Structures are given as C-alpha cells and as structure tokens.
Amino acid sequence: MSGHSHWAGIKHKKAIVDAKRGKAFSKIAKLIISAARHGGPDPDANLRLKYAIEKARAANMPKDNIERAIKRGSGLEGGVEFVEILYEGYGPGGVGVLLEIVTDNRNRTAPEIRKLFEKRGGALATSGSVQYRFERKGSFALPAGPIEEDALLEIALEAGAEDVRRDGEEFLVTCDPAEFMAVKEVLQERLQKRGIELGSSEIGYLPKSPVLLEPDVARKLIALLEDLEEHDDVDNAYSDADFPPEVLGEPDK
C-alpha cells in the first residue's frame, strides 16, 4: 500500500506549512467546536473531542486556542455551528475519493467541492457510491528500519492493535477507531523504550483494495487531492489509489 504512505507523507509536509500560516489551526478549531457541541466539553467522556485535541497538540496549536474552541462548541462563547459530512467522489482513473468535511454552510461547500473535482477530471458521487471501498481505522506509521516486523507486531497486539503491515519504507499499525487513544499511549511508551519515535497517527479511511495507477493518472490524482485539501472545509482527503514507484520517487513540487 505504497499509495497510502506517499499521500500521508505529502499531507504531513503540507500540514507543517499550513500550521505556519494558521490554516491548520482554523481547520482543527472547527473539529473541536463540532466535537464539543455534539459530545460535550469533557474529552475523557468524548472520544471525538479527545482525538481533536490530540490533533491540535500535534500541530502545536496554542492551549488558549484549544480552550476557546471547546467553549465555543459548548455554547459558552458565541459562534456558528459546524456540521461534519462525508463527501464521496471519483478522481482521475475512476479511483474513489472520500472527503471529511467540516462546514457551517453546506450550500456553499458542495458547489465549491464539485468545481474542484471537475477542474481535475473528477466528479462528485452520490452517497454510498464510494465509501464501501474503504474502512475506518486508527493508524500509526513508523520507520521500518529501527525495528523488525515480528517485534513490532508483538508490541502492537499487546497494545490492542489489529494489524501491522509494511507500507513502503514504513510500518503501518492499524486499530479499531474506538481504541485509538489507548493503543497510541501504549505504542508510544513501548517504542520510546527502544528509542523509536511514533510517526504520523490518525483516525481515517484506508482503502480495502488499492488500485495501482499509471504514472500520468497518479500525478493528476495527486493534484486533485492537493486542491481538495487546500479547501478550508476539507479536513481530510482519501483515495483508494496505489501510486507507482515512478511517482513516489519524484521530488515534491
């Protein structure tokens, strides 16, 4: 599943840039507001909020910003109401694309997202057309070099994870989304004892059967995914593509 690894790397680098200009903070604040509004302000009793706060801390979002977003979601401060929606579509080559959207205006967001798809040779799809190709999982990435797969599998299973697999130059550990925070805590503790840092971690959608694309199609898909993730209302973009080695080895533009 090299495609997952490549796109995760692109998103990680882009997240650093976005954080520098405050764009990532705005997106994460909307997640916190929505989570607090629907599940309450206590992260210990609200997994969605706990995950959103963890995401904020990973992006070095200031504590005051986090607390303000929780208050807004709890109705202690004024503000608009955000809703979370899953958009489905098709990218170049017919690959499936899933978008996690957080918006305060569906009527504005839908036509803007449709336009981005059409610009890159894709199209929005009806609900249920694409989602079945994916499964929602917690996932953790770490370099493949410092630890053997069997040793990592033993640690992961003891932590409550479901699976470990090689993903390019990384290992990908997956778990049930409900167990994400618990698994992450144990993984970090056990790996740090070996001097290994856990890489990217998220709750998101993984493709069940990735589709290997031709290089030209893969480049077009990457352009579409980058456009979509630039949109203020798109929290995450996923595809069921597997990118060919020629594209994986190209320098970032």
Side-chain angles (χ1 to χ4, degrees), residues 10-216:
I10 291 173
K11 293 205 294 182
H12 176 69
K13 293 174 184 177
K14 195 175 83 63
I16 295 174
V17 175
D18 284 348
K20 289 180 180 178
R21 62 177 184 248
K23 189 167 188 176
F25 292 169
S26 175
K27 290 189 175 188
I28 295 171
K30 291 195 292 185
L31 276 179
I32 294 173
I33 292 168
S34 178
R37 185 177 299 276
H38 292 95
D42 181 6
D44 290 330
N46 183 347
L47 179 62
R48 285 174 59 200
L49 178 59
K50 191 170 186 177
Y51 172 62
I53 292 173
E54 181 82 4
K55 194 170 184 178
R57 289 172 177 164
N60 296 317
M61 187 173 179
K63 184 178 179 181
D64 288 348
N65 293 36
I66 297 173
E67 292 177 348
R68 190 178 306 115
I70 293 173
K71 288 179 179 178
R72 286 184 63 189
S74 304
L76 300 179
E77 291 188 6
V80 297
E81 180 173 356
F82 294 100
V83 294
E84 298 179 40
I85 317 167
L86 193 66
Y87 279 15
E88 304 175 48
Y90 297 103
V95 297
V97 176
L98 282 184
L99 302 177
E100 291 181 310
I101 302 287
V102 185
T103 180
D104 62 340
N105 188 337
R106 298 177 186 230
N107 294 330
R108 178 199 68 234
T109 303
E112 291 178 354
I113 296 299
R114 181 178 294 107
K115 186 175 180 180
L116 290 176
F117 268 103
E118 292 172 351
K119 173 185 172 184
R120 297 292 186 179
L124 270 178
T126 57
S127 178
S129 299
V130 170
Q131 187 178 355
Y132 73 93
R133 300 186 186 182
F134 298 80
E135 54 186 351
R136 189 159 176 80
K137 294 289 182 183
S139 64
F140 311 89
L142 64 153
I147 188 170
E148 295 293 328
E149 186 170 357
D150 288 345
L152 177 59
L153 179 61
E154 182 178 350
I155 292 173
L157 293 178
E158 288 179 359
E162 296 176 343
D163 189 27
V164 174
R165 59 178 176 264
R166 185 71 177 256
D167 187 10
E169 297 302 314
E170 295 180 323
F171 286 125
L172 187 69
V173 180
T174 56
C175 71
D176 186 292
E179 302 298 324
F180 177 82
M181 298 304 301
V183 172
K184 182 175 183 179
E185 184 176 335
V186 177
L187 273 180
Q188 284 181 321
E189 180 183 352
R190 296 290 300 276
L191 290 172
Q192 283 175 355
K193 290 179 180 179
R194 293 171 172 254
I196 302 171
E197 291 295 325
L198 197 60
S200 61
S201 58
E202 66 175 355
I203 298 175
Y205 289 90
L206 297 179
K208 295 177 181 178
S209 301
V211 180
L212 182 62
L213 300 180
E214 294 293 329
D216 288 346

